[in-house]
């Protein structure tokens, strides 16, 4: 129970912040226009600043994180075709929603927040590097899914390259690594300003995610939604942790890998499913249900890791 309580201290505050955002939206204090603007501010400004600062000031070198990056990359590559196979028995309209919800996690906010809560700045820096690698895989898969399931949007390597090159999160991570490699030193006043901006990122983003959730959809959740959520919260962490074990990751790296893998389905999966003409209600159900259940699976997984590595 003590181990489980320790794990809940990592995931619990994040979940409660989501619930506060949901409540504030319900009473009209967080309106849709504000949530849209704040989400854009987080994605375009404060989250890139957070990633840059944490990676630039991290003590660990990139070379030390290569096994962790390999585990995240290889594990994600394996889970995507598995999700595709799991969706084969479904109706065509449900497949894109199932696949997006089953493999695409909310790494940029909930995954990073869990890693920061559990391991501080060093864990956040590790999570940011894994997120950069996995995000590229996500983008490649999204374009492939568009090519297969969308009648309007065709596959384009140019558009894929542009999307990756213009992603503010990837730009921030690459810039941070480049500046570290060059041995650049920034004035303390700039780093302090960056820390001020970075400090608002996760609370604001979590409130916005909470405000965007619609738990009323849970009453209409189907077996398909539960299947996608089970895949996302159980199968994906199991696959990534298997690669982490094979690559002999240390306990903190395994914990970071678990927390990223166990993050709930990303809200963008709903947007992508709708854009592909898929079942957008199913996608929304998967996001809401995985967000609700992820606190249980992530907490149990983290507690189990603590017991194994004790």
């Amino acid at each position: 129970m003590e181990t489980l309580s320790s794990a809940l201290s990592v995931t619990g505050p994040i979940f409660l912040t989501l619930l506060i955002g949901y409540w504030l939206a319900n009473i009209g204090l967080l309106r849709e226009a504000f949530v849209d603007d704040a989400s854009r501010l987080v994605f375009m400004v404060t989250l890139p600043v957070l990633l840059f600062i944490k990676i630039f000031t991290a003590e660990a070198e990139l070379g030390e994180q290569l096994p962790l990056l390999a585990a995240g990359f290889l594990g994600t590559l394996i889970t995507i075709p598995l999700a595709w196979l799991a969706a084969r028995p479904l109706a065509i309209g449900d497949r894109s929603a199932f696949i997006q919800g089953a493999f695409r996690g909310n790494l940029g906010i909930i995954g990073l927040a869990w890693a920061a809560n559990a391991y501080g700045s060093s864990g956040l820096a590790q999570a940011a590097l894994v997120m950069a690698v996995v995000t590229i895989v996500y983008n490649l898969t999204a374009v492939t899914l568009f090519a297969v399931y969308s009648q309007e949007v065709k596959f384009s390597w140019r558009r894929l390259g542009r999307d990756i090159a213009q992603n503010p999160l990837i730009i921030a991570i690459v810039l941070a690594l480049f500046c570290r490699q060059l041995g650049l030193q920034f004035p303390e006043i700039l780093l302090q300003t960056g820390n001020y901006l970075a400090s608002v990122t996760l609370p604001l983003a979590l409130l916005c995610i909470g405000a965007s959730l619609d738990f009323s959809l849970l009453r209409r959740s189907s077996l398909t939604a539960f299947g996608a959520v089970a895949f996302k919260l159980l199968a994906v962490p199991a696959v990534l942790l298997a690669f982490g074990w094979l690559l002999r990751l240390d306990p903190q790296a395994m914990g970071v890998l678990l927390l990223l893998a166990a993050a709930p389905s990303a809200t963008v999966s709903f947007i992508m499913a709708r854009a592909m003409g898929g079942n957008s209600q199913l996608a929304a159900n998967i996001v809401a249900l995985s967000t609700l259940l992820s606190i249980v699976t992530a907490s149990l997984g983290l507690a189990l890791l603590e017991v194994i590595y004790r």
Side-chain angles (χ1 to χ4, degrees):
M1 289 302 296
E2 182 180 345
T3 303
L4 183 58
S5 176
S6 174
L8 282 171
S9 71
V10 172
T11 58
I14 309 304
F15 184 71
L16 290 177
T17 307
L18 292 173
L19 290 183
I20 291 171
Y22 177 75
W23 174 68
L24 291 175
N26 277 357
I27 65 173
L29 201 55
L30 284 182
R31 299 187 184 278
E32 186 175 351
F34 172 82
V35 171
D36 289 343
D37 289 342
S39 299
R40 194 175 302 112
L41 175 66
V42 166
F43 182 71
M44 299 297 295
V45 180
T46 66
L47 184 52
V49 170
L50 171 69
L51 297 177
F52 181 91
I53 292 292
K54 296 306 179 185
I55 292 175
F56 181 75
T57 59
E59 295 180 2
E61 296 296 328
L62 176 61
E64 299 173 6
Q65 307 303 328
L66 290 180
L68 173 59
L69 300 185
F73 175 74
L74 294 172
T76 303
L77 279 184
I78 293 297
T79 58
I80 291 168
L82 290 179
W84 208 317
L85 288 174
R88 288 293 296 275
L90 303 178
I92 293 293
D94 291 347
R95 289 181 189 174
S96 59
F98 182 98
I99 296 168
Q100 288 281 342
F103 85 87
R104 190 166 194 151
N106 193 329
L107 308 185
I109 303 300
I110 295 181
L112 290 182
W114 281 349
N117 245 16
Y119 303 109
S121 294
S122 63
L124 182 56
Q126 288 178 308
L129 292 173
V130 176
M131 187 195 72
V133 172
V134 172
T135 297
I136 294 174
V137 179
Y138 283 174
N139 286 352
L140 283 166
T141 306
V143 173
T144 304
L145 290 174
F146 265 123
V148 173
Y149 292 111
S150 176
Q151 300 300 317
E152 293 82 15
V153 183
K154 301 303 180 184
F155 180 86
S156 169
W157 285 107
R158 179 178 297 178
R159 180 162 70 287
L160 173 63
R162 185 178 66 245
D163 289 345
I164 293 174
Q166 293 179 349
N167 187 309
L169 309 184
I170 294 177
I171 291 172
I173 292 169
V174 172
L175 277 177
L177 293 173
F178 184 68
C179 291
R180 277 177 64 103
Q181 189 66 28
L182 292 179
L184 297 181
Q185 298 292 326
F186 291 104
E188 187 61 30
I189 188 172
L190 286 181
L191 293 176
Q192 191 64 44
T193 302
N195 280 319
Y196 282 144
L197 286 172
S199 65
V200 307
T201 301
L202 296 178
L204 182 59
L206 290 169
L207 288 174
C208 290
I209 291 175
S212 303
L213 290 173
D214 185 358
F215 287 120
S216 66
L217 294 172
L218 296 180
R219 293 193 297 268
R220 299 192 295 274
S221 293
S222 62
L223 287 177
T224 301
F226 278 100
V229 170
F231 189 98
K232 178 67 195 73
L233 300 184
L234 299 176
V236 171
V239 172
L240 267 70
L241 287 178
F243 277 99
W245 179 77
L246 289 173
L247 294 169
R248 301 180 182 276
L249 297 185
D250 61 76
Q252 177 170 317
M254 286 288 279
V256 169
L257 192 63
L258 166 69
L259 292 173
L260 290 176
S265 302
T267 51
V268 72
S269 63
F270 163 75
I271 299 170
M272 298 294 290
R274 185 167 58 182
M276 284 184 276
N279 188 336
S280 57
Q281 180 175 322
L282 172 61
N285 287 348
I286 292 169
V287 171
L289 191 59
S290 65
T291 301
L292 188 63
L293 295 179
S294 63
I295 184 175
V296 177
T297 54
S299 298
L300 290 175
L302 195 58
L304 183 60
L305 272 186
E306 289 184 15
V307 170
I308 292 173
Y309 284 101
R310 179 175 293 172

